[in-house]
Coordinates of all heavy atoms in Angstrom, one line a residue:
M212 N 32.7 175.9 50.3 CA 31.9 175.6 51.5 C 32.7 175.7 52.7 O 33.9 175.2 52.9 CB 31.4 174.1 51.3 CG 30.0 174.0 51.8 SD 29.3 172.3 51.3 CE 29.8 171.5 52.9
K213 N 32.0 176.2 53.8 CA 32.7 176.3 55.1 C 32.7 175.0 55.7 O 31.8 174.2 55.8 CB 32.0 177.3 56.0 CG 32.8 178.5 56.4 CD 32.0 179.5 56.9 CE 31.8 179.5 58.5 NZ 31.1 180.6 59.0
K214 N 33.7 174.7 56.3 CA 34.0 173.3 56.9 C 33.4 173.4 58.4 O 33.7 174.4 59.2 CB 35.4 172.9 57.0 CG 35.5 171.5 56.9 CD 37.1 171.1 56.8 CE 37.3 169.9 57.5 NZ 38.6 169.5 57.8
L215 N 32.5 172.6 58.9 CA 31.9 172.5 60.0 C 32.7 171.7 61.0 O 33.2 170.7 60.6 CB 30.4 172.0 59.9 CG 29.4 172.9 59.2 CD1 28.2 172.2 58.9 CD2 29.1 174.1 60.1
P216 N 32.7 172.2 62.3 CA 33.3 171.3 63.3 C 32.6 170.1 63.5 O 31.3 170.2 63.8 CB 33.5 172.3 64.5 CG 32.7 173.4 64.3 CD 32.3 173.4 62.8
I217 N 33.2 168.9 63.4 CA 32.5 167.7 63.6 C 32.8 167.1 65.0 O 34.0 167.2 65.4 CB 32.9 166.7 62.4 CG1 32.5 167.3 61.1 CG2 32.1 165.3 62.7 CD1 31.1 167.4 60.8
R218 N 31.9 166.6 65.7 CA 32.0 165.9 66.9 C 31.4 164.5 67.0 O 30.5 164.3 66.2 CB 31.6 166.6 68.1 CG 32.2 168.0 68.3 CD 33.6 167.8 68.9 NE 34.3 169.1 69.2 CZ 35.0 169.8 68.1 NH1 35.0 169.3 66.9 NH2 35.6 170.8 68.5
T219 N 31.8 163.8 67.8 CA 31.2 162.4 67.9 C 30.3 162.2 69.0 O 30.7 162.5 70.1 CB 32.3 161.4 68.0 OG1 33.2 161.4 66.9 CG2 31.7 159.8 68.0
C220 N 29.1 161.8 68.8 CA 28.1 161.5 70.0 C 28.5 160.4 70.8 O 29.0 159.3 70.3 CB 26.7 161.3 69.3 SG 25.6 160.6 70.5
I221 N 28.6 160.6 72.1 CA 29.0 159.6 72.9 C 28.0 158.5 73.2 O 28.2 157.5 73.8 CB 29.4 160.1 74.3 CG1 28.2 160.9 75.0 CG2 30.7 161.0 74.2 CD1 28.5 161.3 76.5
G222 N 26.8 158.8 72.7 CA 25.8 157.7 72.8 C 25.7 156.7 71.6 O 26.1 155.6 71.7
C223 N 25.4 157.3 70.4 CA 25.2 156.4 69.2 C 26.6 156.3 68.4 O 26.7 155.5 67.5 CB 24.1 156.9 68.3 SG 24.4 158.6 67.5
G224 N 27.6 157.2 68.7 CA 28.7 157.1 68.0 C 28.8 157.8 66.5 O 29.8 157.7 65.9
C225 N 27.7 158.5 66.3 CA 27.7 159.3 65.0 C 28.5 160.4 65.1 O 28.6 161.1 66.0 CB 26.2 159.6 64.7 SG 25.1 158.2 64.3
E226 N 29.0 160.9 63.8 CA 29.7 162.0 63.7 C 28.8 163.1 63.1 O 28.2 162.9 62.1 CB 30.9 161.9 62.9 CG 32.1 161.1 63.6 CD 33.2 160.8 62.7 OE1 33.3 161.2 61.4 OE2 34.3 160.4 63.3
K227 N 28.7 164.3 63.8 CA 27.8 165.2 63.4 C 28.3 166.6 63.5 O 29.2 166.8 64.4 CB 26.4 165.2 64.2 CG 25.6 163.9 64.0 CD 24.3 164.0 64.5 CE 23.5 162.8 64.2 NZ 22.1 162.9 64.8
P228 N 27.8 167.6 62.8 CA 28.2 169.0 63.0 C 28.1 169.3 64.5 O 27.0 169.0 65.1 CB 27.3 169.7 62.1 CG 26.8 168.8 61.1 CD 26.8 167.5 61.7
K229 N 29.0 170.0 65.1 CA 28.9 170.3 66.6 C 27.6 171.0 66.9 O 27.1 170.8 68.0 CB 30.0 171.2 66.8 CG 30.5 171.4 68.2 CD 31.8 172.2 68.2 CE 31.9 173.3 69.3 NZ 33.0 174.0 69.3
K230 N 27.0 171.9 66.1 CA 25.8 172.6 66.4 C 24.6 171.8 66.5 O 23.6 172.1 67.1 CB 25.7 173.8 65.5 CG 25.4 173.3 64.0 CD 25.1 174.6 63.1 CE 24.8 174.0 61.7 NZ 24.5 174.9 60.8
E231 N 24.7 170.6 65.8 CA 23.5 169.6 66.0 C 23.6 168.9 67.2 O 22.7 168.1 67.6 CB 23.5 168.6 64.8 CG 23.0 169.5 63.7 CD 23.0 168.6 62.4 OE1 22.9 167.4 62.6 OE2 23.0 169.1 61.3
L232 N 24.6 168.9 67.9 CA 24.9 168.2 69.1 C 24.8 169.1 70.4 O 24.8 170.2 70.3 CB 26.2 167.5 69.2 CG 26.5 166.5 68.1 CD1 28.0 166.1 67.9 CD2 25.6 165.3 68.2
I233 N 24.6 168.4 71.6 CA 24.6 169.2 72.7 C 25.8 168.9 73.7 O 26.2 167.6 73.6 CB 23.3 169.1 73.5 CG1 23.2 170.1 74.7 CG2 23.0 167.6 74.0 CD1 21.8 170.4 75.1
R234 N 26.4 169.7 74.3 CA 27.6 169.6 75.1 C 27.2 169.0 76.5 O 26.3 169.6 77.1 CB 28.4 170.9 75.1 CG 29.8 170.7 75.7 CD 30.6 171.9 75.4 NE 32.0 171.8 76.1 CZ 32.2 172.5 77.0 NH1 31.5 173.3 77.6 NH2 33.5 172.4 77.6
V235 N 27.8 168.1 76.9 CA 27.7 167.7 78.4 C 29.0 168.0 79.0 O 30.1 167.8 78.4 CB 27.6 166.1 78.5 CG1 27.2 165.7 79.9 CG2 26.5 165.6 77.5
V236 N 29.0 168.7 80.2 CA 30.2 169.2 80.7 C 30.4 168.8 82.3 O 29.3 168.6 82.8 CB 30.3 170.8 80.6 CG1 29.3 171.4 81.5 CG2 31.5 171.3 80.8
K237 N 31.7 168.6 82.5 CA 32.0 168.4 83.9 C 32.7 169.6 84.5 O 33.7 170.0 83.9 CB 32.8 167.2 84.1 CG 33.1 166.8 85.5 CD 33.9 165.5 85.6 CE 34.7 165.4 87.0 NZ 35.7 164.4 87.0
T238 N 32.0 170.2 85.3 CA 32.4 171.6 85.8 C 33.7 171.3 86.6 O 33.9 170.3 87.2 CB 31.4 172.4 86.6 OG1 31.2 171.6 87.8 CG2 30.1 172.4 85.9
P239 N 34.5 172.4 86.9 CA 35.6 172.3 87.8 C 35.3 171.9 89.2 O 36.0 171.4 89.9 CB 36.2 173.7 87.8 CG 35.8 174.4 86.5 CD 34.5 173.7 86.3
E240 N 34.0 172.1 89.6 CA 33.4 171.6 90.9 C 33.1 170.1 90.8 O 32.6 169.6 91.8 CB 32.2 172.4 91.4 CG 32.5 173.9 91.6 CD 32.7 174.7 90.3 OE1 31.9 174.6 89.4 OE2 33.5 175.7 90.3
G241 N 33.2 169.5 89.6 CA 32.8 168.1 89.5 C 31.4 167.7 89.2 O 31.0 166.6 89.2
Q242 N 30.6 168.8 88.9 CA 29.2 168.6 88.5 C 29.0 168.2 87.1 O 29.8 168.8 86.2 CB 28.4 169.8 88.7 CG 27.7 170.1 90.1 CD 26.8 171.3 90.0 OE1 27.2 172.3 89.8 NE2 25.6 171.0 90.3
I243 N 28.3 167.3 86.8 CA 27.9 167.0 85.5 C 26.6 167.4 84.8 O 25.6 167.2 85.5 CB 28.1 165.4 85.1 CG1 29.6 165.0 85.5 CG2 27.9 165.0 83.7 CD1 29.8 163.6 85.6
L244 N 26.7 168.3 83.9 CA 25.6 169.1 83.4 C 25.4 169.1 81.9 O 26.4 168.9 81.2 CB 25.6 170.6 83.9 CG 25.9 170.8 85.3 CD1 26.3 172.3 85.4 CD2 24.5 170.6 86.1
L245 N 24.1 169.4 81.4 CA 24.0 169.7 79.9 C 24.3 171.1 79.7 O 23.8 171.9 80.6 CB 22.5 169.3 79.6 CG 22.2 167.8 79.4 CD1 20.8 167.7 79.0 CD2 23.0 167.1 78.6
D246 N 25.1 171.4 78.9 CA 25.6 172.7 78.6 C 25.0 173.2 77.3 O 25.6 173.0 76.3 CB 27.1 172.8 78.6 CG 27.5 174.2 78.1 OD1 26.8 175.1 78.3 OD2 28.9 174.2 77.8
E247 N 23.8 173.8 77.4 CA 23.1 174.1 76.1 C 23.8 175.4 75.4 O 23.7 175.4 74.2 CB 21.6 174.6 76.4 CG 20.9 173.4 76.5 CD 19.2 173.9 76.7 OE1 18.7 174.0 75.6 OE2 18.8 174.1 77.7
S248 N 24.5 176.2 76.2 CA 25.2 177.4 75.5 C 26.5 176.8 75.0 O 27.0 177.4 74.0 CB 25.5 178.4 76.7 OG 26.5 178.0 77.5
G249 N 27.0 175.7 75.3 CA 28.3 175.2 74.8 C 29.5 176.0 75.3 O 30.6 175.9 74.8
R250 N 29.3 176.8 76.3 CA 30.4 177.8 76.7 C 30.8 177.6 78.1 O 31.6 178.4 78.7 CB 29.9 179.2 76.6 CG 29.9 179.6 75.0 CD 29.6 181.1 75.0 NE 29.2 181.4 73.5 CZ 28.0 181.2 73.1 NH1 27.0 181.0 73.9 NH2 27.8 181.6 71.8
M251 N 30.4 176.5 78.8 CA 30.7 176.4 80.2 C 32.1 175.9 80.3 O 32.6 175.2 79.4 CB 29.7 175.4 80.9 CG 28.4 176.1 81.1 SD 27.2 174.9 81.7 CE 27.7 174.7 83.5
N252 N 32.7 176.3 81.5 CA 34.0 175.7 81.8 C 34.0 174.2 82.1 O 33.1 173.7 82.7 CB 34.6 176.4 83.0 CG 35.3 177.7 82.6 OD1 35.8 177.9 81.5 ND2 35.3 178.7 83.5
G253 N 35.1 173.5 81.8 CA 35.2 172.2 82.2 C 35.3 171.3 81.1 O 35.5 171.7 79.9
R254 N 35.5 170.0 81.5 CA 35.8 168.9 80.3 C 34.4 168.6 79.7 O 33.4 168.4 80.4 CB 36.3 167.7 81.1 CG 36.7 166.7 80.2 CD 37.2 165.5 80.9 NE 37.4 164.4 80.0 CZ 38.5 164.3 79.1 NH1 39.4 165.1 79.4 NH2 38.5 163.2 78.3
G255 N 34.4 168.6 78.4 CA 33.2 168.4 77.7 C 33.2 167.1 76.8 O 34.1 166.7 76.4
A256 N 31.9 166.8 76.5 CA 31.6 165.7 75.5 C 30.4 166.0 74.8 O 29.7 166.9 75.2 CB 31.4 164.4 76.3
Y257 N 30.3 165.4 73.7 CA 29.0 165.8 72.8 C 28.2 164.6 72.6 O 28.5 163.5 72.6 CB 29.6 166.3 71.5 CG 30.3 167.6 71.6 CD1 31.6 167.8 71.9 CD2 29.4 168.9 71.5 CE1 32.1 169.0 72.2 CE2 30.1 170.1 71.7 CZ 31.4 170.2 72.0 OH 31.9 171.4 72.2
I258 N 26.9 164.9 72.5 CA 25.8 164.0 72.4 C 24.6 164.6 71.6 O 24.4 165.8 71.7 CB 25.4 163.6 73.9 CG1 24.4 162.4 73.8 CG2 24.7 164.7 74.7 CD1 24.3 161.6 75.1
C259 N 23.9 163.6 70.9 CA 22.8 164.1 70.0 C 21.7 164.7 71.0 O 21.6 164.3 72.1 CB 22.1 162.9 69.3 SG 23.3 162.2 68.2
R260 N 20.8 165.5 70.5 CA 19.7 166.0 71.2 C 18.6 165.0 71.3 O 17.6 165.2 70.7 CB 19.1 167.4 70.6 CG 20.1 168.5 70.7 CD 19.6 169.7 69.9 NE 20.5 170.8 70.0 CZ 20.4 171.8 70.9 NH1 19.5 171.7 71.8 NH2 21.3 172.8 71.1
D261 N 18.9 163.9 71.8 CA 18.1 162.7 71.8 C 18.2 162.0 73.2 O 19.2 161.5 73.5 CB 18.4 161.9 70.7 CG 17.6 160.8 70.4 OD1 16.7 160.5 71.4 OD2 17.6 160.2 69.3
P262 N 17.0 161.8 73.9 CA 17.1 161.1 75.0 C 17.6 159.6 74.9 O 18.0 159.1 75.8 CB 15.6 161.1 75.6 CG 14.9 162.1 74.9 CD 15.6 162.3 73.6
E263 N 17.3 159.2 73.7 CA 17.8 157.7 73.4 C 19.2 157.7 73.5 O 19.9 156.7 73.9 CB 17.1 157.2 72.1 CG 17.4 155.8 71.7 CD 16.8 154.9 72.8 OE1 15.7 155.2 73.4 OE2 17.6 154.0 73.2
C264 N 19.9 158.8 72.9 CA 21.4 158.7 72.9 C 22.0 158.9 74.3 O 23.0 158.3 74.7 CB 22.0 159.9 72.0 SG 22.0 159.4 70.3
M265 N 21.2 159.6 75.1 CA 21.6 159.7 76.5 C 21.5 158.3 77.3 O 22.5 157.9 78.1 CB 20.7 160.8 77.2 CG 21.2 161.1 78.7 SD 22.9 161.6 78.8 CE 22.7 163.4 78.5
R266 N 20.4 157.6 76.9 CA 20.3 156.2 77.7 C 21.5 155.4 77.1 O 22.0 154.7 77.9 CB 18.9 155.8 77.3 CG 17.8 156.3 78.2 CD 16.6 155.4 78.0 NE 15.9 155.8 76.7 CZ 15.0 156.7 76.7 NH1 14.7 157.5 77.7 NH2 14.4 157.0 75.5
K267 N 21.7 155.4 75.8 CA 22.8 154.7 75.3 C 24.2 155.0 76.0 O 25.0 154.2 76.2 CB 23.0 154.9 73.7 CG 22.3 153.9 73.0 CD 22.5 154.1 71.5 CE 21.2 153.7 70.7 NZ 21.4 154.3 69.3
A268 N 24.4 156.3 76.0 CA 25.8 156.8 76.6 C 25.8 156.3 78.0 O 27.0 156.1 78.5 CB 25.8 158.4 76.7
I269 N 24.7 156.2 78.8 CA 24.7 155.7 80.2 C 25.0 154.1 80.1 O 25.8 153.6 80.8 CB 23.4 156.0 80.9 CG1 23.3 157.6 81.0 CG2 23.3 155.4 82.2 CD1 21.9 158.1 81.4
R270 N 24.3 153.5 79.2 CA 24.3 152.1 79.2 C 25.6 151.5 78.8 O 26.2 150.5 79.3 CB 23.2 151.5 78.3 CG 22.8 150.1 78.7 CD 21.5 149.8 77.8 NE 21.6 150.0 76.4 CZ 20.7 150.7 75.8 NH1 19.6 151.0 76.3 NH2 20.8 150.8 74.4
T271 N 26.1 152.3 77.8 CA 27.5 151.7 77.2 C 28.7 152.3 77.9 O 29.8 152.2 77.5 CB 27.6 152.1 75.7 OG1 27.6 153.5 75.6 CG2 26.4 151.6 75.0
K272 N 28.4 153.1 79.0 CA 29.5 153.8 79.8 C 30.2 154.9 79.0 O 31.3 155.2 79.3 CB 30.4 152.7 80.4 CG 29.9 151.6 80.9 CD 29.7 151.5 82.4 CE 29.2 150.4 83.1 NZ 28.0 150.7 83.8
G273 N 29.6 155.4 77.9 CA 30.1 156.3 77.2 C 30.3 157.6 78.1 O 31.4 158.3 77.9
L274 N 29.4 157.9 79.0 CA 29.6 159.0 79.9 C 30.7 158.8 80.8 O 31.5 159.8 80.9 CB 28.3 159.2 80.7 CG 27.1 160.1 80.2 CD1 26.1 160.1 81.3 CD2 27.6 161.5 80.1
D275 N 30.8 157.7 81.3 CA 31.8 157.3 82.3 C 33.3 157.5 81.6 O 34.1 158.1 82.2 CB 31.8 155.8 82.8 CG 30.5 155.6 83.7 OD1 29.7 156.5 83.6 OD2 30.3 154.5 84.2
R276 N 33.3 157.0 80.3 CA 34.6 157.2 79.6 C 34.9 158.6 79.4 O 36.1 158.9 79.5 CB 34.5 156.4 78.3 CG 34.9 154.9 78.4 CD 35.2 154.4 77.1 NE 34.2 154.5 76.1 CZ 33.1 153.7 76.0 NH1 33.1 152.6 76.8 NH2 32.1 153.9 75.2
S277 N 33.9 159.4 79.1 CA 34.2 160.8 78.6 C 34.7 161.5 79.9 O 35.6 162.4 79.7 CB 33.0 161.4 78.2 OG 32.5 160.7 77.0
F278 N 34.2 161.2 81.0 CA 34.6 161.9 82.1 C 35.6 161.3 83.1 O 35.9 161.7 84.2 CB 33.4 162.5 83.0 CG 32.4 163.3 82.1 CD1 31.3 163.0 81.8 CD2 33.0 164.6 81.7 CE1 30.4 163.9 80.9 CE2 32.2 165.4 80.9 CZ 31.0 164.9 80.6
R279 N 36.0 160.1 82.6 CA 37.1 159.3 83.3 C 36.6 159.0 84.8 O 37.5 159.1 85.8 CB 38.4 159.9 83.3 CG 38.9 160.0 81.8 CD 40.4 160.2 81.7 NE 40.8 160.3 80.4 CZ 41.5 161.2 79.8 NH1 41.6 162.4 80.5 NH2 41.7 161.2 78.6
E280 N 35.3 158.7 85.1 CA 34.9 158.4 86.3 C 33.4 157.8 86.2 O 32.9 157.9 85.2 CB 34.8 159.6 87.3 CG 33.7 160.6 86.7 CD 33.4 161.7 87.8 OE1 34.4 162.3 88.5 OE2 32.3 161.9 88.1
K281 N 33.1 157.1 87.2 CA 31.8 156.5 87.3 C 30.7 157.7 87.6 O 30.9 158.3 88.5 CB 31.6 155.5 88.4 CG 30.3 154.9 88.5 CD 30.2 153.6 87.6 CE 28.7 153.1 87.8 NZ 27.7 153.9 87.2
V282 N 29.8 157.8 86.6 CA 28.9 158.9 86.7 C 27.7 158.3 87.6 O 27.1 157.3 87.2 CB 28.3 159.4 85.4 CG1 27.3 160.5 85.5 CG2 29.4 159.9 84.5
P283 N 27.5 158.9 88.7 CA 26.4 158.3 89.7 C 25.1 158.3 88.9 O 24.7 159.1 88.1 CB 26.3 159.5 90.8 CG 27.5 160.2 90.7 CD 28.0 160.1 89.3
E284 N 24.2 157.3 89.4 CA 23.0 157.0 88.8 C 22.0 158.1 88.9 O 21.1 158.4 87.9 CB 22.4 155.6 89.4 CG 21.6 155.0 88.4 CD 21.0 153.6 88.9 OE1 21.7 152.9 89.7 OE2 19.8 153.4 88.9
D285 N 22.0 158.8 90.0 CA 21.1 159.9 90.0 C 21.5 161.0 89.1 O 20.6 161.8 88.5 CB 20.9 160.5 91.5 CG 22.2 160.9 92.1 OD1 23.3 160.4 91.7 OD2 22.3 161.7 93.0
V286 N 22.7 161.2 88.8 CA 23.1 162.3 87.9 C 22.7 161.8 86.4 O 22.2 162.6 85.7 CB 24.8 162.4 88.0 CG1 25.2 163.4 86.9 CG2 25.1 163.1 89.2
C287 N 22.8 160.6 86.2 CA 22.5 160.0 84.9 C 20.9 160.2 84.7 O 20.6 160.6 83.7 CB 22.8 158.5 84.7 SG 24.5 158.0 84.8
R288 N 20.2 160.0 85.7 CA 18.7 160.1 85.6 C 18.4 161.6 85.3 O 17.5 162.0 84.5 CB 18.0 159.7 86.8 CG 17.6 158.2 86.7 CD 16.5 157.8 87.6 NE 17.0 158.1 89.0 CZ 17.5 157.1 89.8 NH1 17.9 156.0 89.4 NH2 18.0 157.4 91.0
Q289 N 19.1 162.5 86.1 CA 18.8 163.9 85.8 C 19.2 164.4 84.4 O 18.5 165.1 83.8 CB 19.7 164.8 86.9 CG 19.5 166.2 86.9 CD 18.1 166.7 87.1 OE1 17.4 166.1 87.9 NE2 17.8 167.8 86.5
L290 N 20.3 163.9 84.0 CA 20.7 164.2 82.5 C 19.7 163.8 81.5 O 19.4 164.5 80.7 CB 22.1 163.6 82.3 CG 23.2 164.2 82.9 CD1 24.6 163.4 82.7 CD2 23.5 165.7 82.5
E291 N 19.2 162.5 81.8 CA 18.2 162.1 80.9 C 16.9 162.7 80.8 O 16.3 163.0 79.8 CB 18.0 160.5 81.4 CG 17.6 159.6 80.3 CD 17.2 158.2 80.9 OE1 18.0 157.6 81.6 OE2 16.1 157.7 80.5
K292 N 16.5 163.3 82.1 CA 15.3 164.1 82.2 C 15.5 165.4 81.5 O 14.6 165.9 80.8 CB 15.0 164.3 83.7 CG 13.6 164.3 84.0 CD 13.4 164.3 85.6 CE 13.4 165.7 86.1 NZ 13.4 165.7 87.6
E293 N 16.6 166.1 81.7 CA 16.9 167.3 81.2 C 16.9 167.2 79.6 O 16.4 168.0 78.9 CB 18.3 167.8 81.6 CG 18.2 168.7 82.8 CD 19.6 169.1 83.2 OE1 20.3 169.9 82.2 OE2 20.1 168.8 84.2
M294 N 17.5 166.0 79.1 CA 17.6 165.8 77.7 C 16.2 165.7 77.1 O 15.9 166.1 76.1 CB 18.3 164.7 77.4 CG 18.6 164.4 75.9 SD 19.5 165.7 75.1 CE 21.2 165.1 75.2
S295 N 15.3 165.0 77.8 CA 13.9 164.8 77.4 C 13.3 166.2 77.2 O 12.6 166.4 76.2 CB 13.1 164.0 78.3 OG 13.7 162.7 78.5
G296 N 13.6 167.1 78.3 CA 12.9 168.5 78.2 C 13.4 169.2 76.9 O 12.6 169.9 76.2
I297 N 14.8 169.1 76.8 CA 15.4 169.8 75.6 C 14.9 169.2 74.2 O 14.5 170.0 73.3 CB 16.9 169.7 75.7 CG1 17.4 170.6 76.9 CG2 17.5 170.1 74.2 CD1 18.9 170.3 77.1
A298 N 14.8 167.9 74.1 CA 14.3 167.3 73.0 C 12.9 167.8 72.5 O 12.5 167.9 71.4 CB 14.5 165.9 72.9
E299 N 12.0 167.8 73.6 CA 10.6 168.2 73.4 C 10.5 169.5 73.0 O 9.7 170.0 72.2 CB 9.8 168.0 74.6 CG 9.3 166.6 74.9 CD 8.8 166.3 76.3 OE1 8.5 167.3 77.0 OE2 8.9 165.2 76.7
G300 N 11.4 170.4 73.5 CA 11.3 171.8 73.2 C 11.8 172.3 72.0 O 11.5 173.4 71.4
S301 N 12.5 171.4 71.2 CA 13.2 171.9 69.9 C 12.4 171.2 68.7 O 11.5 170.5 68.9 CB 14.6 171.4 69.8 OG 14.8 170.0 70.0
Ligands
ZN695 ZN1 23.7 160.1 69.2

């Protein structure tokens, strides 16, 4: 059996195969985005394709910890919105 890369969701803390998670990236320009391709430059964190996990990551400061800075509230809201769109589409 092939070993899958495992990552931890910054929302619920579950360990899952990387391909089941979505990457959140902080670009070299300092933007925080959902990276559906998983190939963007920058510091990354992983999260379930679930708006609930995004809310948890915001509430528990998982996002802030991952990027070592306070993530602004409007950015959090945008990420939550994007995640809702992705979750609905899959
Ligand atoms: Zn999760």
Side-chain angles (χ1 to χ4, degrees):
M212 216 175 94
K213 239 165 89 179
K214 217 176 144 192
L215 291 165
I217 301 290
R218 293 291 180 275
T219 304
C220 168
I221 58 169
C223 62
C225 290
E226 292 183 344
K227 291 192 177 180
K229 199 170 136 185
K230 62 175 184 183
E231 287 180 22
L232 301 169
I233 187 158
R234 192 165 174 252
V235 191
V236 72
K237 184 174 155 190
T238 68
E240 292 78 36
Q242 270 188 300
I243 296 170
L244 306 163
L245 288 182
D246 173 18
E247 281 191 86
S248 71
R250 290 187 191 89
M251 285 174 75
N252 275 330
R254 187 183 170 80
Y257 288 85
I258 188 162
C259 303
R260 291 171 179 272
D261 185 343
E263 189 53 43
C264 282
M265 183 59 82
R266 279 191 285 272
K267 266 185 212 162
I269 293 164
R270 202 168 55 228
T271 63
K272 314 268 183 237
L274 267 183
D275 296 7
R276 268 198 307 276
S277 300
F278 297 116
R279 299 202 177 111
E280 65 168 47
K281 176 90 183 74
V282 179
E284 213 180 304
D285 57 335
V286 174
C287 292
R288 269 201 301 271
Q289 181 60 34
L290 289 173
E291 210 182 309
K292 216 170 86 187
E293 270 181 58
M294 183 63 96
S295 301
I297 289 166
E299 275 165 25
S301 62

